[in-house]
């Protein structure tokens, strides 16, 4: 049955039967228990205190409305390529079990938006990364148009008012643009609204902090001048145990430690939820799939995170940056697009054609390298031309 969430009032507009802090505790604790309330239900959510039950009595719609917060990163599209070759007729996203993500789990996790990743492996760099990225953008768009629970959005305003699971497209890793601002602009025209600078590989214009099979931290990781022209980001916390615990096993507490640390160093306004479900092979105990986000929020509440801080981390930080990026775009709308190109010698890509000299004159040694098939085709064309004019 298609999911139809109620309209989303802000927390500030909710009835104040309980204080804002207690209200959030009630909402998130009941969510962590996996409770779902229908639009006509007056049943008290399991696990709530009497005060929580009184607060929700007769107000299930407000309870459900608070679900619309998290904007996590998700690699489901990568797994659809892996298991189904992007064939959506071969998969049911309501009950899919091969992945950390399906629609029912998203609803259980109270997810209000997804930053869908158009990710392609670093091995595609200097090869067909752009084509593969285009195919991943295509499958994300098809997912979000096929299922009524989703709404494809491309602006901060559309995301903020959507009453469905808002779908934003993100490119994961600068290798996907093949060092081309023109390619980046075309991705934007297709609806892409964010791009991480690197993945686990360097690009010619930015260094990854973790690159190569050895996964060694690079303390000199930085950006070149070309790379600095496309920088704008938040710290989106990844849940992968190898990142948060430097080992194969981790738990919710270890993930929450990272939120605490970043909050201490950079402030809560710099944090977002990365998640990375379906982009890693394993996840912490208690955060096994997208249905578990409420458990993390409950852990942060236990650590005395404030309501405004959690609202910021879940959604408002992302929206703030998103709105600001759109403001800058508006401010610069009368300026021509940048035509700067990365220096050819910095790309080091044998597959890239140097269009400044596309047809160099060939010497005899080069002619020897011409494949026989092309010589044959050339001979046939020449023969046809001679016959035609004779």
């Amino acid at each position: 049955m298609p999911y139809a969430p109620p309209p989303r009032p802000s927390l500030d507009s909710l009835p104040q039967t309980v204080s804002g802090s207690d209200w959030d505790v009630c909402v998130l604790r009941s969510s962590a228990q996996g409770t779902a309330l229908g639009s006509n239900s007056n049943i008290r959510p399991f696990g709530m205190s009497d005060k929580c039950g009184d607060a929700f009595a007769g107000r299930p719609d407000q309870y459900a409305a608070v679900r619309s917060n998290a904007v996590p990163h998700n690699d489901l599209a990568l797994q659809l390529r892996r298991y189904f070759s992007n064939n959506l007729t071969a998969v049911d996203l309501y009950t899919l079990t091969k992945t950390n993500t399906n629609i029912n789990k998203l609803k259980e996790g109270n997810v209000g938006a997804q930053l869908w990743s158009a990710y392609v492996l670093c091995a595609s760099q200097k090869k067909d990364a752009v084509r593969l990225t285009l195919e991943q953008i295509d499958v994300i768009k098809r997912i979000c148009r096929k299922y009524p629970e989703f709404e494809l959005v491309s602006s901060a305003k559309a995301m903020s008012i959507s009453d469905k699971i808002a779908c934003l497209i993100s490119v994961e890793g600068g290798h996907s643009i093949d060092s081309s601002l023109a390619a980046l602009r075309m991705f934007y025209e297709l609806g892409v609204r964010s791009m991480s600078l690197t993945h686990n590989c360097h690009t010619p214009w930015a260094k990854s902090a973790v690159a190569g099979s050895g996964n060694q931290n690079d303390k000199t990781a930085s950006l070149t001048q070309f790379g600095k022209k496309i920088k704008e980001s938040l710290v989106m916390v990844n849940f992968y145990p190898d990142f948060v615990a430097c080992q194969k096993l981790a738990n919710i507490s270890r993930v929450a430690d990272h939120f605490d640390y970043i909050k201490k160093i950079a402030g809560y306004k710099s944090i977002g939820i990365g998640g990375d479900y379906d982009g890693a092979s394993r996840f912490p105990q208690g955060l096994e799939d997208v249905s578990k986000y409420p458990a993390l929020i409950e852990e942060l509440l236990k650590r005395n995170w404030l309501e405004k801080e959690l609202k910021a981390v879940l959604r408002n930080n992302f929206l703030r940056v998103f709105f600001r990026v759109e403001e800058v775009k508006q401010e610069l709308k009368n300026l021509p697009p940048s035509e700067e190109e990365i220096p050819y010698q910095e790309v080091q890509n044998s597959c890239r054609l140097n269009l400044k000299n596309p047809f160099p004159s060939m010497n005899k040694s080069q002619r020897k390298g011409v494949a026989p098939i092309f010589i044959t085709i050339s001979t046939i064309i020449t023969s046809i031309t001679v016959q035609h004019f004779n």
Side-chain angles (χ1 to χ4, degrees):
M1 180 176 178
Y3 175 57
R8 304 175 177 174
S10 67
L11 285 180
D12 294 336
S13 68
L14 293 174
Q16 297 299 312
T17 303
V18 295
S19 66
S21 177
D22 288 339
W23 172 267
D24 270 1
V25 171
C26 295
V27 171
L28 295 165
R29 185 168 296 148
S30 63
S31 299
Q33 298 287 346
T35 304
L37 293 181
S39 60
N40 295 316
S41 173
N42 288 314
I43 300 174
R44 177 181 299 168
F46 175 76
M48 286 176 139
S49 68
D50 287 341
K51 182 166 75 169
C52 289
D54 293 339
F56 283 110
R59 296 191 301 163
D61 286 350
Q62 281 90 344
Y63 163 74
V66 183
R67 60 162 285 283
S68 58
N69 276 327
V71 188
H73 167 104
N74 192 292
D75 278 284
L76 176 63
L78 174 65
Q79 302 306 324
L80 293 179
R81 174 181 282 277
R82 175 186 177 190
Y83 291 118
F84 306 101
S85 299
N86 286 352
N87 180 4
L88 295 186
T89 61
V91 61
D92 180 356
L93 285 190
Y94 291 106
T95 58
L96 179 63
T97 59
K98 290 180 178 288
T99 61
N100 306 125
T101 307
N102 64 37
I103 292 174
N104 289 335
K105 288 179 179 178
L106 288 170
K107 292 189 288 185
E108 186 178 348
N110 296 332
V111 175
Q114 283 281 254
L115 198 60
W116 297 109
S117 172
Y119 168 67
V120 299
L121 300 178
C122 279
S124 66
Q125 184 169 209
K126 301 181 181 180
K127 296 177 183 177
D128 54 353
V130 174
R131 175 184 64 83
L132 292 171
T133 303
L134 287 169
E135 292 175 354
Q136 294 308 97
I137 293 170
D138 170 72
V139 76
I140 291 170
K141 289 184 140 185
R142 288 189 286 123
I143 290 170
C144 297
R145 287 169 176 160
K146 178 177 180 179
Y147 291 92
E149 290 79 8
F150 296 136
E151 180 179 5
L152 191 64
V153 299
S154 59
S155 70
K157 181 178 180 180
M159 175 184 164
S160 65
I161 65 175
S162 174
D163 60 357
K164 299 185 177 183
I165 300 175
C167 296
L168 284 167
I169 306 176
S170 173
V171 168
E172 186 174 3
H175 61 284
S176 283
I177 67 171
D178 194 18
S179 299
S180 169
L181 289 177
L184 180 62
R185 285 192 291 269
M186 290 302 97
F187 284 163
Y188 182 89
E189 293 297 325
L190 291 173
V192 174
R193 289 299 180 267
S194 77
M195 182 184 75
S196 59
L197 299 178
T198 63
H199 191 254
N200 289 346
C201 54
H202 302 318
T203 70
W205 44 272
K207 281 189 175 182
S208 171
V210 182
S213 58
N215 288 334
Q216 298 296 316
N217 290 334
D218 184 351
K219 294 183 179 180
T220 67
S222 186
L223 301 173
T224 65
Q225 288 303 117
F226 182 85
K228 291 176 181 178
K229 293 183 179 295
I230 57 175
K231 185 180 179 299
E232 181 67 41
S233 62
L234 285 174
V235 181
M236 308 286 280
V237 179
N238 192 298
F239 294 174
Y240 184 41
D242 294 51
F243 291 163
V244 298
C246 296
Q247 58 187 26
K248 296 184 182 299
L249 298 177
N251 55 28
I252 294 177
S253 179
R254 198 60 180 268
V255 175
D257 288 344
H258 283 261
F259 282 84
D260 286 341
Y261 179 77
I262 299 170
K263 175 183 171 183
K264 178 180 178 181
I265 298 299
Y268 72 88
K269 292 185 178 180
S270 299
I271 310 174
I273 293 183
D276 205 22
Y277 286 113
D278 286 307
S281 56
R282 54 189 172 273
F283 290 90
Q285 182 180 5
L287 289 173
E288 293 84 359
D289 58 52
V290 296
S291 70
K292 308 297 185 181
Y293 285 116
L296 172 63
I297 305 308
E298 185 170 19
E299 174 66 25
L300 294 177
L301 284 167
K302 291 176 182 177
R303 298 178 179 220
N304 298 318
W305 279 60
L306 302 177
E307 174 190 328
K308 68 176 183 180
E309 295 172 337
L310 290 174
K311 288 168 65 178
V313 168
L314 288 167
R315 188 181 185 86
N316 290 348
N317 287 341
F318 187 90
L319 277 174
R320 185 192 72 249
V321 173
F322 199 174
F323 272 115
R324 179 55 188 151
V325 169
E326 291 180 338
E327 289 173 1
V328 172
K329 177 191 173 186
Q330 191 66 18
E331 292 167 2
L332 302 178
K333 66 179 182 179
N334 294 324
L335 294 180
S338 172
E339 295 182 344
E340 181 168 345
E341 294 184 2
I342 189 169
Y344 185 78
Q345 62 271 21
E346 292 184 14
V347 177
Q348 298 178 347
N349 183 354
S350 60
C351 294
R352 178 178 286 216
L353 180 63
N354 183 358
L355 292 177
K356 294 181 179 178
N357 190 18
F359 304 113
S361 58
M362 295 190 301
N363 55 37
K364 292 183 179 180
S365 63
Q366 288 175 312
R367 288 197 184 99
K368 291 180 182 178
V370 177
I373 183 65
F374 291 109
I375 296 176
T376 303
I377 293 173
S378 176
T379 302
I380 293 173
I381 292 175
T382 302
S383 175
I384 293 173
T385 303
V386 171
Q387 293 177 16
H388 174 76
F389 284 102
N390 287 339

